[in-house]
Amino acid sequence: MNPTPYNQTGWSLADLFSAPDGADLEAAFVTLEAQMQAFESVREQLRSDLPAAEFLGYVQQLETLTLGMHRLNYYPSLRFAENTQDQNALTLMARVEQFTAELANRSLFFELWWKALPEAEAERLMAESGDRRYWLESLRMFRPHTLSEAEEKIINLKNVTGASALSTLYDTLTNRYTFHVTVDGSPREMTRGELMSLVRQADPDLRAQAYQELYRVYGQDGPILGQIYQTLVRDWRSEQVQLRKFSSPIAARNLANDIPDAVVDTLLSVTRQNTGLFQRFFRLKARLLGMERLRRYDIYAPVVQSDKTYAFPQAAEMVFSSFREFDPQFAQLAERVFAENHLDSQVRKGKRGGAFCATAAPTLTPWVLVNYQGRADDVATLAHELGHAIHSMLASHHSVFTAHACLPLAETASTFGEMMLVDRLLSSEDDPNVRRDLLFRQMDDAYATIQRQAFFALFERQAHGLIQEGASVDALAEAYLENLREQFGEAVEVADEFRWEWVSIPHIYNVPFYVYAYSFGQLLVLSLYQQFQQEGQAFKPRYRRILEAGGSVAPVKLLAEAGIDIYAESFWQGGYAVLSRTLDQLEKLA
């Protein structure tokens, strides 16, 4: 237990393993091997008339194996995140990936048998499966895209030394970057996280300098990073479209999310139709900044000069307080992350940039990484990632197969938590400049989370097609510039160096088409938050139901139970209506 839980510290991974060379880590390899040998004997027992109790016993064996593999995988991954230049972490990560890929291959027979089972027999077993039913249903949804056992094994092994290795190489390359800028007349060397804090500063020259330096560094390696991306895209297409016969590259992600293609198409279409809303916002911001037109450097510029910062202990208490006001248990769960020393909030060279929440096992308190620098948006990021942790802990009663929500729903608690925190900041802040700054930050964040992410997804969809047609890295960079011009129209001037922005987005490398989950989640939460404001206490049980379900219910069904039709264009447009009303208020204030 951390005796000073609100101090800014690194995290402890002792709840996973004691050390990279610890006896408990080596024992985990031995235990998993023994468990796998026992599970392999199940192959001979599988038949269509298997009694339900026997079947569920085999599923429990697979769950135990999966939990062990999760713990083993997360340990080197989290060590790598805390220091991406740690060669021991990289070596261990490669060893673990190879080992667990081989284990996955040896257990593959069970999943393939289950997918091939006749419908009547599968339904008989699912009827007795309780919490595991949706997971079993989800596996069978992949029947048309499943290959032979030999082919599936080859793909698993190929991914370790192929796509996964390239993603790790990308992370290693880009996380070692340092950036050099001049601040207040003094040269400074910065991490990416530190550099990005400058783009929200009042000084327009500093904002421009930060972006120019960011894309100077990424642009120098642009051809290499672009080639890595091209290779990952070709690998994705080879597997998902050519081998697994998905109708398109994005369809593979949609099925993994259990979100129908038509819903994603509607989401992206509505987003495209609403570019005018954010262009209107950027015109307002330009007027208040005394500029004829915003530059891309200026889209996160503060409208009023507010250099207010929040000490980390103050930020933590603000987040806990906002959660506590909604539901005392939410605050208690968030405090657990601190109490168990599962938070890394420091800014260090070599540490992974950005922020994330990682759940190694349903029964373990999640690990949260942020790079806290004291800004209001850093406080909001802390609330966001702790919201993920709360979501995970509320769903911890489910099995390892059904605890984690699909990507679009995984953003629900995090974004909702962030909105609660911003509301608290607004209600407790007396300085009118800070209040107006916070309101503008809400619109800034809405742009960053909805419009920007959706246009990343639109670019991904286009880029996958262009690469299939043989497009060069330069052609992709030009397509990305066109993507930005469509987003911003005449409202924002886009400098040429932004052609390299796409090679600086880790998600499009590591998890293709992940990014639309942010747009989905934010628009969903706008709708939910509006319901909360209208209904008060009556809303809370319905919201908890969404979070507590984890990944045990199909997203369309779960949201339908909450009165949300995600097929309807009007639902997505409703989120933009909320933003439009916020913008109306800002225009009146201005």
Side-chain angles (χ1 to χ4, degrees):
M1 299 288 281
N2 187 351
T4 53
Y6 294 178
N7 286 348
Q8 200 168 350
T9 65
W11 56 29
S12 167
L13 302 178
D15 287 339
L16 288 171
F17 295 102
S18 60
D21 56 354
D24 55 342
L25 182 63
E26 289 305 316
F29 285 95
V30 175
T31 298
L32 279 168
E33 173 61 33
Q35 289 173 343
M36 179 54 70
Q37 288 181 17
F39 186 70
E40 284 177 309
S41 67
V42 168
R43 183 191 284 264
E44 305 305 318
Q45 310 303 319
L46 298 178
R47 57 192 189 278
S48 60
D49 63 347
L50 199 64
E54 187 177 342
F55 169 71
L56 292 175
Y58 299 151
V59 170
Q60 286 173 347
Q61 280 185 259
L62 185 58
E63 284 175 352
T64 301
L65 263 170
T66 303
L67 278 168
M69 288 193 285
H70 277 202
R71 292 176 72 112
L72 198 57
N73 271 309
Y74 270 95
Y75 182 68
S77 175
L78 293 174
R79 286 189 61 85
F80 177 68
E82 68 186 14
N83 181 7
T84 61
Q85 305 311 305
D86 183 344
Q87 293 302 308
N88 291 329
L90 275 170
T91 301
L92 179 60
M93 191 158 64
R95 177 191 174 192
V96 166
E97 285 181 349
Q98 186 71 38
F99 178 70
T100 55
E102 290 170 0
L103 291 184
N105 272 351
R106 290 162 63 185
S107 65
L108 190 61
F109 69 88
F110 185 82
E111 182 180 314
L112 295 177
W113 168 80
W114 170 249
K115 289 178 181 177
L117 202 62
E119 195 63 39
E121 296 301 330
E123 181 55 42
R124 175 180 63 82
L125 294 174
M126 286 191 292
E128 302 292 327
S129 61
D131 183 62
R132 303 174 183 88
R133 181 180 180 110
Y134 176 60
W135 169 68
L136 292 167
E137 289 176 343
S138 299
L139 287 178
R140 289 178 66 81
M141 291 191 303
F142 284 86
R143 290 174 74 184
H145 310 290
T146 300
L147 307 175
S148 70
E149 184 172 356
E151 290 169 313
E152 293 287 355
K153 286 181 174 179
I154 290 169
I155 287 173
N156 283 343
L157 292 174
K158 176 271 300 177
N159 284 343
V160 173
T161 53
S164 179
L166 275 176
S167 292
T168 300
L169 177 63
Y170 171 84
D171 287 342
T172 305
L173 278 172
T174 56
N175 281 299
R176 69 192 291 183
Y177 289 162
T178 57
F179 305 91
H180 296 86
V181 292
T182 300
V183 181
D184 296 329
S186 301
R188 296 268 304 276
E189 180 180 277
M190 294 185 168
T191 65
R192 179 174 176 173
E194 291 169 324
L195 184 75
M196 287 297 93
S197 71
L198 302 182
V199 307
R200 294 181 182 268
Q201 299 297 312
D203 183 346
D205 294 334
L206 195 57
R207 295 194 298 266
Q209 185 188 169
Y211 274 121
Q212 288 163 359
E213 174 65 2
L214 178 69
Y215 296 125
R216 180 191 70 79
V217 172
Y218 273 92
Q220 283 180 334
D221 282 348
I224 297 171
L225 300 178
Q227 285 179 45
I228 292 175
Y229 182 67
Q230 287 175 315
T231 303
L232 287 168
V233 166
R234 292 189 187 106
D235 178 85
W236 183 265
R237 184 177 187 87
S238 295
E239 178 179 337
Q240 307 299 344
V241 177
Q242 294 177 355
L243 294 178
R244 299 195 183 280
K245 308 302 181 186
F246 281 98
S247 59
S248 67
I250 196 173
R253 176 66 58 209
N254 296 344
L255 186 61
N257 289 338
D258 196 8
I259 301 292
D261 291 351
V263 170
V264 178
D265 288 344
T266 299
L267 165 65
L268 296 178
S269 175
V270 170
T271 301
R272 212 164 199 162
Q273 293 164 26
N274 281 275
T275 53
L277 176 72
F278 287 106
Q279 290 171 14
R280 176 181 147 207
F281 170 63
F282 293 133
R283 290 190 190 97
L284 170 65
K285 180 174 273 195
R287 179 161 61 86
L288 293 174
L289 290 171
M291 303 174 70
E292 188 171 321
R293 181 164 68 140
L294 282 191
R295 306 166 302 170
R296 173 60 183 80
Y297 310 131
D298 306 313
I299 62 170
Y300 301 120
V303 171
V304 289
Q305 291 196 24
S306 170
D307 297 323
K308 182 166 183 175
T309 58
Y310 302 84
F312 187 73
Q314 179 189 11
E317 184 49 50
M318 289 165 60
V319 172
F320 296 151
S321 182
S322 68
F323 289 158
R324 196 176 296 119
E325 192 172 319
F326 181 81
D327 186 326
Q329 189 190 6
F330 282 30
Q332 291 165 8
L333 293 173
E335 287 169 340
R336 237 170 71 185
V337 176
F338 284 67
E340 296 184 17
N341 201 13
H342 283 205
L343 175 74
D344 185 339
S345 57
Q346 295 174 330
V347 176
R348 308 184 294 274
K349 185 176 179 180
K351 178 182 172 182
R352 175 181 157 163
F356 66 77
C357 174
T359 300
T363 54
L364 290 176
T365 298
W367 278 264
V368 170
L369 180 143
V370 295
N371 285 272
Y372 187 82
Q373 298 177 73
R375 306 180 307 261
D377 54 308
D378 289 321
V379 187
T381 298
L382 182 62
H384 183 101
E385 298 305 333
L386 289 172
H388 279 304
I390 291 167
H391 194 170
S392 177
M393 288 183 274
L394 285 174
S396 64
H397 57 287
H398 294 294
S399 99
V400 66
F401 296 136
T402 56
H404 198 275
C406 71
L407 288 178
L409 291 189
E411 294 301 324
T412 306
S414 54
T415 308
F416 197 94
E418 190 174 343
M419 292 177 75
M420 287 193 295
L421 182 278
V422 171
D423 274 359
R424 179 166 186 81
L425 285 172
L426 287 169
S427 66
S428 62
E429 183 55 65
D430 296 327
D431 186 335
N433 284 344
V434 177
R435 284 178 56 78
R436 191 161 69 159
D437 195 31
L438 285 167
L439 284 168
F440 269 91
R441 282 173 189 268
Q442 281 191 297
M443 285 300 296
D444 287 342
D445 291 346
Y447 163 72
T449 309
I450 300 172
Q451 197 82 354
R452 186 167 184 256
Q453 302 298 331
F455 269 83
F456 283 155
L458 289 167
F459 170 72
E460 279 190 274
R461 200 162 64 176
Q462 180 187 17
H464 278 247
L466 289 173
I467 290 168
Q468 172 65 13
E469 296 166 5
S472 66
V473 172
D474 283 340
L476 293 173
E478 187 58 37
Y480 186 74
L481 267 183
E482 285 301 314
N483 174 286
L484 291 178
R485 291 175 184 133
E486 180 184 352
Q487 275 188 72
F488 295 123
E490 295 300 315
V492 178
E493 177 188 342
V494 180
D496 189 67
E497 64 263 19
F498 283 91
R499 67 174 49 247
W500 294 117
E501 182 175 23
W502 59 283
V503 301
S504 74
I505 310 301
H507 280 327
I508 72 172
Y509 283 78
N510 299 332
V511 192
F513 303 104
Y514 177 102
V515 289
Y516 76 72
Y518 290 112
S519 307
F520 188 115
Q522 178 76 31
L523 290 171
L524 169 63
V525 169
L526 285 172
S527 171
L528 291 173
Y529 206 70
Q530 187 176 30
Q531 290 179 29
F532 167 51
Q533 290 176 320
Q534 292 169 350
E535 300 175 24
Q537 293 295 324
F539 165 82
K540 293 180 182 181
R542 195 162 68 250
Y543 178 62
R544 283 187 66 107
R545 160 69 179 145
I546 292 174
L547 302 188
E548 289 171 350
S552 65
V553 183
V556 173
K557 179 182 177 184
L558 184 62
L559 293 174
E561 291 172 357
I564 293 170
D565 178 8
I566 60 175
Y567 285 94
E569 187 172 308
S570 58
F571 164 69
W572 301 109
Q573 189 60 46
Y576 283 100
V578 174
L579 293 174
S580 183
R581 289 194 292 272
T582 302
L583 186 49
D584 290 342
Q585 294 173 14
L586 283 171
E587 287 171 337
K588 289 176 183 176
L589 283 173

